[in-house]
């Protein structure tokens, strides 16, 4: 077993028992869709990032917080399936709305030039320009998990066509 495999076992041991199946489902789905993972031990726990080998971009990251585990999604192709944002539960929409505005989308000189721009999309007939590191970061919970899986599936499908 590799060091990453050992870290994956340790990471899964830290996942709340009630959400372990979901985390494992996401892990297996992403591996089946040509993503590689990288796990690091952080101050508050582990982070597990998945990189799409087709475009070499991070597609998702599990983040351990004191408040619980979160899944940060990186929907590079959100414009192709933004209509599904209208179906998200209110708590997920609220998280998206309160996320930071992407400074580079508003003013390209306002942020670090190496920062990858965030996302501009429409949800509930309103345009948003949100930071890629906070816009789609949601708590792992029964209400959110199915919707996060749908977003991941749509992103993988869209990236195959890109």
């Amino acid at each position: 077993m590799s060091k990453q495999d050992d870290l994956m076992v340790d990471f899964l041991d830290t996942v709340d028992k009630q959400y372990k199946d979901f985390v494992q489902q996401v892990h297996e789905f992403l591996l089946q869709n040509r993503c590689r993972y990288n796990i690091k031990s952080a101050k508050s726990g582990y982070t597990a990032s998945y990189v799409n080998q087709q475009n070499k971009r991070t597609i998702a990251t599990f983040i351990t917080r004191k408040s619980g585990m979160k899944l940060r999604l990186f929907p590079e192709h959100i414009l192709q399936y933004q209509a599904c944002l209208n179906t998200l539960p209110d708590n997920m929409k609220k998280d998206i709305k309160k996320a930071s505005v992407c400074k580079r989308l508003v003013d390209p000189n306002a942020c670090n030039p190496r920062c990858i721009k965030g996302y501009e999309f429409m949800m509930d007939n309103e345009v948003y320009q949100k930071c890629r590191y906070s816009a789609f970061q949601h708590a792992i919970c029964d209400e959110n998990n199915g919707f996060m899986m749908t977003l991941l599936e749509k992103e993988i499908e869209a990236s195959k066509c890109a």
Side-chain angles (χ1 to χ4, degrees), residues 1-17 20 23-24 27 37 39-42 44-48 50 62 64 69:
M1 237 166 52
S2 72
K3 182 175 179 168
Q4 282 297 298
D5 291 336
D6 289 340
L7 284 171
M8 175 54 76
V9 170
D10 293 344
F11 164 66
L12 287 173
D13 284 344
T14 67
V15 176
D16 187 315
K17 182 180 170 185
K20 204 170 284 226
V23 172
Q24 191 67 41
H27 175 73
Y37 67 93
I39 299 182
K40 296 178 185 173
S41 181
S44 58
Y46 290 96
T47 62
Y50 294 83
F62 285 107
T64 307
M69 187 165 286

Side-chain angles (χ1 to χ4, degrees), residues 44-56:
S44 58
Y46 290 96
T47 62
S49 294
Y50 294 83
V51 175
N52 183 332
Q53 292 304 291
Q54 186 171 335
N55 63 12
K56 306 296 186 212

Side-chain angles (χ1 to χ4, degrees), residues 54-72:
Q54 186 171 335
N55 63 12
K56 306 296 186 212
R57 300 288 288 259
T58 301
I59 189 167
T61 302
F62 285 107
I63 305 161
T64 307
R65 297 279 193 250
K66 288 180 183 177
S67 59
M69 187 165 286
K70 295 183 181 275
L71 181 59
R72 178 184 294 152

